[in-house]
């Protein structure tokens, strides 16, 4: 079977054919202008991954790389049915929800002496053990716990068989290429194969695989094994938050029919035409924002000291969405339960 189109080409393929989601040029330009002022700020650089997020590992060692691998293997589907009733994890006197609840639970386990980042542990961890490890401090459990259990066992076994139990060995096989690491991850670990068929074409988003490459780049601070010469070829990560914030900022727009479904909270399935269009147009939108941002910095002579790539744009926009949850209340995100994002 032919390989799917890579994520960037997939996004363009979808965006030019999309019937229910539209990239808005005016919105793209406005977001690029907004970001141009932020670019010199520290929240825009690679260092923000550590300095802005206390739950992320601060080290650059093998344990830190394996922390990233376990977290990104479980990095999917945190949204709750009701905004005011959700999974939450207390850690070091702070309460975390959503994706950060996962990170807090992982760190809580490590503090308890549970070797959760060791492949030999999670290859055989039981469902009961995992329910304890990921337990919520509210009466709402983390979604898809059974799927998380199955994926951890499968991924741990493969990491032991193929990479000596450490994701750093996988990174070292990628010759400092983000694209090679991306391919190695999707070839080796089935749960990372985030693909679809759109208008007869096999396409890929590889959301968790791409964020794994990006988080590895950041945890290694872009140096040594993490000095990826092609990190700028990684696209934005097609999750359910970025479309919401891009719609909030007017950079993408939904058809009336799709907006009605979203406002009703209708569930989507992985690979649905409209779900693919939401993801594809969002990825393509961020590519266009990046292009416009680089153009603007030329036109206005704004010296950009950090590398502007879709990874850093994504991180900034995701954090922006987190910080503007209230403002975004009226903008729906598409509801889906899957292991890909
Ligand atoms: N596009 C994109 N999607 C991201 C992330 C992250 C975490 N990255 C952080 C870690 C270090 C960096 O500094 C980032 O700040 C999680 N997700 C996705 O969001 C959803 C969870 O959302 P909520 O329910 O609100 O917690 C879920 O699909 C999850 O897979 C990102 O960065 N970009």
């Amino acid at each position: 079977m032919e390989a799917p189109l890579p994520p960037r080409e997939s996004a363009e393929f979808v965006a030019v054919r999309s019937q229910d989601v539209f990239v808005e040029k005016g919105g793209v330009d406005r977001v690029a202008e907004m970001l141009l002022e932020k670019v010199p700020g520290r929240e825009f650089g690679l260092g923000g991954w550590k300095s802005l997020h206390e739950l992320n590992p601060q080290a650059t060692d093998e344990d830190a790389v394996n922390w990233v691998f376990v977290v990104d293997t479980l990095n999917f589907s945190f949204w709750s049915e009701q905004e005011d009733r959700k999974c939450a994890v207390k850690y070091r006197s702070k309460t975390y929800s959503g994706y950060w609840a996962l990170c807090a639970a992982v760190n809580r386990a490590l503090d308890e002496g549970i070797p959760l980042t060791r492949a030999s542990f999670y290859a055989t961890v039981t469902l009961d053990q995992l329910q304890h490890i990921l337990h919520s401090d509210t009466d709402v459990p983390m979604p898809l716990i059974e799927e998380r259990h199955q994926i951890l066992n499968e991924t741990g076994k493969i990491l032991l068989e193929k990479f000596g139990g450490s994701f750093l060995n996988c990174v070292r096989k990628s010759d400092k290429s983000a694209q090679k690491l991306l391919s190695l991850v999707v070839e080796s670990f089935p749960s990372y194969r985030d693909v679809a068929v759109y208008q007869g074409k096999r396409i890929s988003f590889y959301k968790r695989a791409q964020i794994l490459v990006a988080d590895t780049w950041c945890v290694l601070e872009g140096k040594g094994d993490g000095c990826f010469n092609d990190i700028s070829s990684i696209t934005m990560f097609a999750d359910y938050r970025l479309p919401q914030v891009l719609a909030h900022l007017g950079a993408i727009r939904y058809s009336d029919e799709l907006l009605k479904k979203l406002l009703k909270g209708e569930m989507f399935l992985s690979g649905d035409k409209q779900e693919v269009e939401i993801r594809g147009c969002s990825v393509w939108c961020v590519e266009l924002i990046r292009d416009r941002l680089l153009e603007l910095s030329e036109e206005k002579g704004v010296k950009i000291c950090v590398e502007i790539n879709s990874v850093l744009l994504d991180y900034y926009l995701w954090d922006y969405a987190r910080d503007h949850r209230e403002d975004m209340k009226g903008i729906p995100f598409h509801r889906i339960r899957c292991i890909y994002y």
Side-chain angles (χ1 to χ4, degrees):
M1 189 189 288
E2 62 167 313
L5 272 182
R8 191 173 192 282
E9 289 75 6
S10 297
E12 183 175 28
F13 181 84
V14 170
V16 298
R17 292 163 176 80
S18 177
Q19 293 162 328
D20 283 297
V21 187
F22 312 100
V23 177
E24 295 287 279
K25 177 149 183 8
V28 163
D29 292 350
R30 276 196 307 279
V31 173
E33 270 141 38
M34 171 186 92
L35 293 177
L36 190 61
E37 281 126 56
K38 301 288 177 190
V39 156
R42 72 189 181 95
E43 68 267 46
F44 217 100
L46 179 150
W49 194 88
K50 290 183 176 178
S51 62
L52 297 174
H53 301 298
E54 70 273 7
L55 293 178
N56 286 343
Q58 300 300 308
T60 57
D61 58 14
E62 184 161 32
D63 283 348
V65 171
N66 283 312
W67 184 99
V68 162
F69 183 61
V70 168
V71 166
D72 281 330
T73 296
L74 297 172
N75 187 357
F76 55 85
S77 207
F78 300 104
W79 60 270
S80 52
E81 300 296 335
Q82 288 139 304
E83 197 36 39
D84 56 353
R85 289 194 66 246
K86 55 186 161 184
C87 167
V89 172
K90 270 201 208 83
Y91 180 68
R92 292 191 178 163
S93 69
K94 222 177 137 182
T95 299
Y96 298 89
S97 63
Y99 163 80
W100 292 119
L102 168 67
C103 297
V106 169
N107 290 351
R108 179 179 63 187
L110 293 171
D111 286 3
E112 284 175 15
I114 298 169
L116 185 55
T117 56
R118 201 181 302 151
S120 54
F121 174 81
Y122 59 85
T124 56
V125 69
T126 64
L127 178 57
D128 275 358
Q129 286 174 311
L130 191 64
Q131 280 167 331
H132 164 68
I133 289 166
L134 298 181
H135 76 269
S136 168
D137 289 309
T138 68
D139 58 356
V140 183
M142 191 174 290
L144 302 184
I145 199 76
E146 287 81 6
E147 289 79 356
R148 295 181 203 274
H149 174 241
Q150 185 275 325
I151 287 171
L152 271 184
N153 284 171
E154 172 189 85
T155 305
K157 289 185 178 80
I158 294 168
L159 197 67
L160 286 166
E161 279 155 25
K162 293 192 171 178
F163 302 102
S166 175
F167 185 61
L168 187 56
N169 296 331
C170 188
V171 176
R172 286 177 172 155
K173 286 185 189 300
S174 66
D175 304 327
K176 301 188 181 182
S177 160
Q179 288 305 321
K180 276 197 191 150
L181 182 55
L182 178 62
S183 305
L184 203 47
V185 167
V186 297
E187 279 153 23
S188 309
F189 304 101
S191 81
Y192 279 87
R193 292 175 198 155
D194 174 7
V195 295
V197 175
Y198 180 76
Q199 296 196 5
K201 192 87 180 160
R202 291 189 79 237
I203 62 168
S204 64
F205 291 117
Y206 293 151
K207 181 261 172 194
R208 285 202 287 111
Q210 291 204 99
I211 201 168
L212 171 60
V213 171
D215 286 347
T216 303
W217 178 58
C218 289
V219 81
L220 290 172
E221 299 173 9
K223 293 183 228 131
D225 297 310
C227 182
F228 299 133
N229 49 45
D230 55 347
I231 189 68
S232 292
S233 65
I234 296 290
T235 73
M236 167 278 234
F237 321 121
D239 74 321
Y240 53 83
R241 287 294 174 207
L242 262 280
Q244 188 185 21
V245 72
L246 293 172
H248 167 67
L249 294 169
I252 63 169
R253 177 176 57 81
Y254 301 127
S255 68
D256 291 346
E257 189 244 323
L258 175 55
L259 185 57
K260 233 179 269 156
K261 279 170 92 171
L262 292 168
L263 288 168
K264 269 167 45 187
E266 273 192 36
M267 291 292 280
F268 289 79
L269 292 174
S270 251
D272 279 351
K273 176 174 175 295
Q274 291 177 329
E275 183 247 3
V276 169
E277 291 185 358
I278 291 172
R279 301 181 81 195
C281 289
S282 296
V283 173
W284 191 241
C285 180
V286 172
E287 294 300 295
L288 296 180
I289 290 170
R290 193 230 21 237
D291 293 348
R292 182 62 187 138
L293 182 51
L294 292 171
E295 254 173 38
L296 278 174
S297 66
E298 280 290 305
E299 281 168 23
K300 301 194 172 186
V302 172
K303 194 175 163 343
I304 294 186
C305 47
V306 292
E307 181 177 350
I308 295 298
N309 59 41
S310 297
V311 166
L312 295 175
L313 284 180
D314 175 287
Y315 283 153
Y316 180 84
L317 289 167
W318 192 83
D319 290 342
Y320 180 97
R322 190 41 86 113
D323 300 341
H324 294 76
R325 193 54 56 88
E326 269 311 295
D327 308 344
M328 289 181 6
K329 261 171 105 146
I331 308 286
F333 61 87
H334 64 288
R335 291 173 170 232
I336 184 167
R337 283 292 177 218
C338 73
I339 62 164
Y340 299 113
Y341 62 101

